[in-house]
Structures are given as C-alpha cells and as structure tokens.
Amino acid sequence: MAEVKKIKLSEQISDRLYEMIVDERRYAPGSKLPNENELSAALEVSRTTLREAISFLVAQGVLEIRRGKGTFVAEDLPAEGLDLTSLAGIRSRVRAKDLFEMRLIFEPATVALACERATDEELAQILKKAERMERIAAEDGDWPLADQEFHWAIIKASHNEYMRRLYPIINSAVNEIMQISQNRQHMQEIALADNRVILEFLLQRDEAGASHAMSIHIRHLINTLGS
C-alpha cells in the first residue's frame, strides 16, 4: 500500500477557505472576511490554525491583510492556469450524452487517484457522504445533491487542482440535466447501487477496482439517458 501523506490541519483549512472563496463564491473579490473569532468558530479550529491557513492564502495572492482593517479577498484572484469559464456558456447546448462521456474520461482516473492519495480522514468523509445519500434517498429527499456531494468528496480526495476546478462546471451541467430527466427514479437506483461498489473499492484503496466501478457507473447513466 502506498504511504498516505498526512495533511496538516492548517493546509486543510486553507483548502476549505479557498473552496469557499473560489468554488462556492461565499466571499466576493474585495470583500472582508469575518473576524478571526467568528471564522475560527465557523471552521471549528483554533485561531492559530486559522492564521496559518490565512498566511498560506496570502502567499498565494488569494487573500490580503490590510493593517488595522482586517483580511480581505483579493480584488484580482490569481489565474487558475486553465480558463474554464468559457465552458459555462455551452451547458444549455451540450447534449446530455456528451456531458456524461466527458465524465467517463476523467472520473475513473480521479477515483483511482483518490485511492492512492486520500487521507484516512478523507475516506471517512466520503463514507459519510455515501451514507447521507442513502438516508436522503430513503426519505425521498434531494438525492441528486447528496450524490454530487459524494462525487465531490472523491474529487477533492484526488488532490488534483485541475480536476477540482473542472468539476463544479460539469456538476452544474449535470444538475441541469437531472432537473429535466424523465428517468430520475431509475437513475437514483443506479446511483445508490453503483456508489456502494465504488465506495467498497475506495475503502480498500483498490485503484483498478474503483476506476472500473466508476466507468461502469457512468456507462449505466449514459445508457439510462439514452433510453
């Protein structure tokens, strides 16, 4: 088994802050972050850990500290190196099959990376997401959102920044398709069954098995969309 790198808590928190700013857009460019006490309480970490995380993002150009005023999101966030915004405009035009074929290209490789790179804490988080989806589906709740959270946890555990930047755009398009799909019940059954298999291989850190299970899962969805 490959040695799993232990990620410092401050690095995890800087990663979470980055998601909140760039992916979830909770804080707009130029806006001020909550004060240290509020933010450390929200993230459930000490102020020392929070300061380390903020320092890391300041070095990346994501945050800036204004003496006597507080911590602010940079007006001009650093370039990602891969401009994905141009993809957003094609979401309404792209065929569902094309979208899932794109997932077929990169998600099997991503889950294989997660098998290799995920910390034990990240695997536990993926397990929680899978269990949450089971509960929500049983209660006739918003299972597609819970399913997306399961896949997002896998993406994050791959520790590949380009995949992390690409997924929110693809995920948004998937969500649009799910809203109009005529086969939601069948897709739910597929997602629940396939996710159990994917999870089993992930917890065993079986890269080949997890990759194959993810490929089968997406092919199942493609076939359902075509029916």
Side-chain angles (χ1 to χ4, degrees):
M1 180 187 298
E3 182 178 352
V4 179
K5 178 186 175 183
K6 183 70 175 178
I7 301 175
K8 288 179 61 178
L9 180 58
S10 59
E11 293 178 9
Q12 295 179 39
I13 296 304
S14 69
D15 193 47
R16 178 64 189 130
L17 276 172
Y18 186 93
E19 289 175 6
M20 293 165 70
I21 294 165
V22 178
D23 298 335
E24 300 171 11
R25 300 181 183 180
R26 294 195 190 186
Y27 306 109
S31 65
K32 183 180 178 181
L33 293 186
N35 67 47
E36 198 174 79
N37 288 334
E38 292 175 0
L39 198 53
S40 61
L43 294 169
E44 300 182 335
V45 295
S46 68
R47 287 185 294 172
T48 300
T49 298
L50 177 63
R51 286 174 195 149
E52 290 179 5
I54 287 174
S55 295
F56 184 71
L57 292 179
V58 168
Q60 286 188 314
V62 175
L63 295 176
E64 56 185 45
I65 297 175
R66 301 177 189 173
R67 198 174 300 277
K69 294 184 178 180
T71 303
F72 292 77
V73 178
E75 291 283 358
D76 297 312
L77 292 174
E80 293 294 330
L82 175 63
D83 182 9
L84 297 176
T85 56
S86 60
L87 292 179
I90 69 170
R91 289 183 304 190
S92 61
R93 302 193 305 271
V94 73
R95 291 185 304 156
K97 183 178 179 182
D98 291 345
L99 175 65
F100 281 86
E101 283 176 350
M102 186 173 183
R103 290 184 63 189
L104 186 59
I105 292 170
F106 87 93
E107 286 196 52
T110 302
V111 75
L113 288 176
C115 287
E116 176 188 353
R117 299 174 177 175
T119 64
D120 291 340
E121 292 86 354
E122 286 170 330
L123 288 181
Q125 187 65 20
I126 293 170
L127 174 60
K128 286 182 181 179
K129 296 297 185 182
E131 292 173 341
R132 182 171 181 271
M133 180 188 170
E134 295 268 359
R135 290 196 303 272
I136 289 176
E139 297 166 359
D140 293 325
D142 188 0
W143 69 265
L145 177 59
D147 181 51
Q148 289 162 15
E149 291 176 353
F150 170 73
H151 285 272
W152 176 230
I154 294 173
I155 297 289
K156 290 193 290 184
S158 74
H159 296 277
N160 183 292
E161 277 304 307
Y162 284 98
M163 291 178 180
R164 285 164 54 92
R165 298 298 151 251
L166 180 62
Y167 187 71
I169 293 174
I170 292 178
N171 191 49
S172 180
V174 169
N175 191 48
E176 288 180 8
I177 289 170
M178 291 302 300
Q179 298 304 317
I180 61 174
S181 174
Q182 302 298 312
N183 298 312
R184 279 174 62 94
Q185 182 59 39
H186 189 200
M187 293 184 83
Q188 174 185 300
E189 294 166 2
I190 288 172
L192 287 169
D194 290 353
N195 284 358
R196 293 181 194 119
V197 179
I198 293 167
L199 179 65
E200 182 178 350
F201 284 117
L202 255 172
L203 295 178
Q204 295 173 3
R205 296 188 182 275
D206 184 335
E207 297 175 34
S211 178
H212 187 57
M214 184 66 78
S215 294
I216 290 174
H217 170 57
I218 296 172
R219 291 187 185 281
H220 282 162
L221 296 176
I222 290 172
N223 291 338
T224 300
L225 287 166
S227 61

